[in-house]
């Protein structure tokens, strides 16, 4: 992809009438969105009892993903920030209720009423500051906080995202963890740059059998082993993160912090995405007493 | 917008502690046919705020729902479920507004889509 839409304009401006129509009526996009929605619905792991559920479609756009939800018999509420896209959803007679809403302002839904949430190619828009009053971290916090509240216990949220960089993926994941979600990232076809798709699977409530991450898809349709470690393995396509639960602080009697500690901290900061100076032989060297 | 959605929406303007339920100003209501599914309705009954639903359906012109949340014996009756189905899924607010109960701020509804975008000072 030569350039990302998020870098061109805010979503309500980028998806104007012309672009919205182009997007919705491109057969390629329709096919891709249908596949992504099917996979997201699969990852939602709703109980297979034939009872329709109330789902949320975040960034529903012109209703392409909502169609998949309706086809599977569910009721859904869709929200999007672009009126042009929603107008097209009306044209296509989307069966879910549509809301003109900015997800970064908080969802405004009552607690525990939603049975599941999906979002196809939308959450990455939150990471950009589209207005001078925007602060992406606060918007992500408002979004994930309100989402956590409105989901029923044990419900899941599945987001198919196109993160721009590792830093952005980390930003989204850490905001979700801070809101109380557990879960991780499922990457389908990780080695193919064309078919590679990332799904952020978040669960509400304490971990249980339901919250184990599903198997990711590999190229030759074999599923990879359900490996829970997040090491540097080649075929690592599933990683698990949990909410940081605060431990009781104990008085430490350390004689200051050594080089090892400093290196560890620097590595942590790097993983967060901060700019950290390189490690050299001068890192954490002893300074003169009056430094 | 159906009453199912209205029953879930609350106003999240900054400083509002009780944003539920949103008041409804009606300009146009339409009715659409939706397939009847008793399992879904029974599931939803656990989550619905009954009084808000009754008030909302009255303002849309449908007064068949009982005032009190029904007992378990009544829940299974087909008659009750059909009324619930009609109120929850088949009545659509096409034009009008939703009103925040605390600040009185109006969220206009056009073509069935409520505009819930908050202004900069309300976030």
């Amino acid at each position: 992809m030569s350039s990302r839409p998020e870098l061109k304009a805010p979503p309500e401006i980028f998806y104007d009438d012309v672009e919205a129509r182009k997007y919705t009526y491109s057969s390629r996009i329709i096919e891709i969105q249908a596949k992504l929605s099917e996979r997201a619905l699969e990852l939602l792991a709703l109980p297979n009892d034939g009872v329709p559920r109330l789902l949320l479609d975040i960034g529903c756009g012109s209703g392409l993903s909502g169609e998949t939800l309706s086809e599977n018999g569910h009721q859904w509420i869709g929200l999007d920030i672009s009126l042009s896209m929603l107008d097209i959803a009306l044209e296509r007679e989307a069966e879910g209720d549509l809301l003109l809403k900015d997800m970064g302002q908080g969802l405004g839904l009552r607690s525990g009423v939603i049975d599941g949430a999906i979002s196809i190619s939308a959450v990455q828009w939150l990471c950009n500051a589209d207005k001078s009053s925007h602060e992406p971290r606060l918007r992500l916090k408002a979004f994930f906080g309100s989402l956590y509240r409105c989901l029923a216990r044990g419900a899941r949220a599945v987001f198919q995202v196109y993160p721009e960089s590792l830093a952005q993926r980390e930003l989204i994941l850490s905001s979700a963890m801070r809101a109380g979600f557990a879960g991780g990232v499922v990457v389908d076809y990780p080695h193919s740059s064309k078919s590679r798709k990332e799904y952020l699977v978040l669960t509400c409530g304490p971990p249980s059998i339901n919250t184990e991450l599903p198997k990711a898809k590999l190229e030759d349709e074999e599923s990879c082993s359900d490996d829970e470690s997040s090491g540097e393995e080649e075929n690592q396509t599933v990683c698990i993160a949990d909410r940081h639960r605060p431990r009781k602080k104990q008085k430490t009697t350390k004689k200051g912090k050594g080089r090892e500690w400093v290196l560890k901290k620097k590595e942590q900061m790097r993983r967060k995405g901060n700019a950290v100076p390189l490690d050299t032989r001068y890192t954490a060297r002893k300074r003169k007493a009056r430094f | 917008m159906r009453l199912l959605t209205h029953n879930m929406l609350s106003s999240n303007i900054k400083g509002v502690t009780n944003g539920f339920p949103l008041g409804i100003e009606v300009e146009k209501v339409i009715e659409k046919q939706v397939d009847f599914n008793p399992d879904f309705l029974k599931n939803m009954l656990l989550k619905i705020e009954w009084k808000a639903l009754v008030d909302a359906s009255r303002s849309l012109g449908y007064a068949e729902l009982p005032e009190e949340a029904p007992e378990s014996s009544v829940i299974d009756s087909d008659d009750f479920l059909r009324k619930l189905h009609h109120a929850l899924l088949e009545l659509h607010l096409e034009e009008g507004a939703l009103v925040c109960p605390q600040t009185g701020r109006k969220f206009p509804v056009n073509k069935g889509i409520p505009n819930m975008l908050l202004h900069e000072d309300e976030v």
Side-chain angles (χ1 to χ4, degrees):
Chain A
M1 213 185 280
S2 46
S3 80
R4 299 171 63 93
E6 299 93 72
L7 299 177
K8 285 197 177 154
E12 66 269 29
I13 297 180
F14 182 82
Y15 287 112
D16 59 5
D17 289 336
V18 172
E19 191 63 39
R21 205 163 282 280
K22 249 182 19 184
Y23 183 92
T24 315
Y25 292 101
S26 149
S27 52
R28 184 181 140 256
I29 300 253
I30 293 179
E31 199 194 309
I32 293 180
Q33 292 287 312
K35 261 202 242 153
L36 295 177
S37 318
E38 283 287 354
R39 178 70 171 137
L41 193 53
E42 201 185 309
L43 291 171
L44 261 186
L46 294 168
N48 204 357
D49 53 8
V51 177
R53 293 296 197 292
L54 181 59
L55 304 175
L56 209 54
D57 186 352
I58 300 165
C60 62
S62 34
L64 290 173
S65 40
E67 229 171 270
T68 307
L69 297 178
S70 295
E71 277 166 17
N72 282 278
H74 297 295
Q75 296 289 344
W76 53 278
I77 300 174
L79 48 112
D80 202 278
I81 198 177
S82 159
L83 192 54
S84 313
M85 290 289 254
L86 290 176
D87 279 337
I88 301 208
L90 283 178
E91 252 179 54
R92 299 176 83 250
E93 303 195 346
E95 287 183 31
D97 270 343
L98 305 169
L99 300 173
L100 179 59
K101 215 167 169 32
D102 181 354
M103 58 169 123
Q105 291 180 341
L107 293 176
L109 294 166
R110 267 197 302 126
S111 307
V113 293
I114 303 289
D115 298 316
I118 66 164
S119 173
I120 307 293
S121 321
V123 174
Q124 71 267 12
W125 286 95
L126 265 182
C127 299
N128 302 328
D130 293 322
K131 296 188 184 142
S132 58
S133 55
H134 278 185
E135 165 57 65
R137 276 179 210 273
L138 291 180
R139 286 165 59 75
L140 282 162
K141 179 175 166 190
F143 170 60
F144 281 114
S146 54
L147 182 64
Y148 188 77
R149 276 195 300 275
C150 75
L151 282 174
R153 204 121 205 276
R156 284 189 181 187
V158 177
F159 304 145
Q160 185 276 321
V161 276
Y162 290 116
E164 197 178 349
S165 60
L166 195 62
Q168 215 185 60
R169 191 186 295 124
E170 264 310 305
L171 182 61
I172 298 176
L173 202 58
S174 59
S175 302
M177 295 304 142
R178 253 174 250 134
F181 282 110
V185 180
V186 173
V187 184
D188 284 347
Y189 312 111
H191 305 296
S192 154
S193 63
K194 197 174 123 187
S195 348
R196 182 180 207 273
K197 293 287 183 278
E198 278 190 35
Y199 298 87
L200 179 58
V201 181
L202 300 172
T203 51
C204 251
S208 67
I209 301 181
N210 293 348
T211 59
E212 264 176 37
L213 279 189
K215 298 178 181 168
K217 289 188 185 161
L218 292 189
E219 286 162 48
D220 30 12
E221 295 298 322
E222 287 168 22
S223 36
C224 74
S225 56
D226 231 346
D227 213 2
E228 292 202 356
S229 69
S230 52
E232 338 300 310
E233 301 172 23
E234 263 243 76
N235 39 338
Q236 180 246 322
T237 54
V238 169
C239 78
I240 298 209
D242 200 351
R243 183 190 183 177
H244 291 270
R245 298 183 194 278
R247 306 208 180 281
K248 289 214 175 86
K249 279 205 189 135
Q250 292 172 333
K251 279 240 171 215
T252 43
T253 47
K254 276 204 270 176
K255 284 188 275 171
K257 297 166 178 176
R259 184 159 193 270
E260 241 184 67
W261 179 88
V262 170
L263 288 174
K264 195 166 71 104
K265 268 297 183 187
K266 288 177 82 171
E267 192 48 50
Q268 267 180 18
M269 290 292 138
R270 272 188 211 108
R271 262 186 266 130
K272 261 201 200 166
N274 294 341
V276 180
L278 297 170
D279 295 332
T280 67
R281 61 176 182 262
Y282 301 109
T283 308
R285 75 180 162 99
K286 271 224 160 293
R287 270 76 174 178
K288 269 203 215 158
R290 60 184 165 96
F291 191 76
Chain B
M1 184 202 61
R2 299 171 298 189
L3 290 183
L4 175 62
T5 306
H6 167 262
N7 205 268
M8 308 296 160
L9 275 178
S10 85
S11 158
N12 60 335
I13 298 176
K14 183 164 78 175
V16 166
T17 44
N18 189 16
F20 179 84
L22 294 167
I24 302 185
E25 276 177 20
V26 181
E27 271 164 49
K28 184 167 151 213
V29 178
I30 60 175
E31 291 189 17
K32 290 189 195 169
Q33 270 274 345
V34 175
D35 290 336
F36 178 68
N37 191 317
D39 291 322
F40 176 72
L41 294 169
K42 287 189 205 159
N43 215 355
M44 280 286 108
L45 262 176
L46 306 165
K47 303 183 185 173
I48 292 177
E49 270 285 327
W50 188 256
K51 183 165 187 313
L53 179 62
V54 175
D55 290 339
S57 63
R58 296 252 161 94
S59 53
L60 290 192
Y62 184 69
E64 304 283 322
L65 287 179
E67 279 282 344
E68 294 291 315
E71 313 283 301
S72 45
S73 54
V74 183
I75 282 178
D76 283 328
S77 81
D78 190 66
D79 182 51
F80 168 73
L81 285 177
R82 290 219 174 249
K83 288 190 191 148
L84 180 61
H85 172 80
H86 185 77
L88 213 49
L89 298 172
E90 291 184 336
L91 293 173
H92 284 256
L93 179 65
E94 273 295 295
E95 305 284 332
L98 297 173
V99 187
C100 170
Q102 203 164 320
T103 59
R105 184 344 195 159
K106 295 197 187 166
F107 298 100
V109 179
N110 289 313
K111 295 191 266 187
I113 304 179
N115 183 338
M116 311 291 297
L117 291 173
L118 299 176
H119 304 310
E120 311 250 326
D121 53 348
E122 292 171 327
V123 179

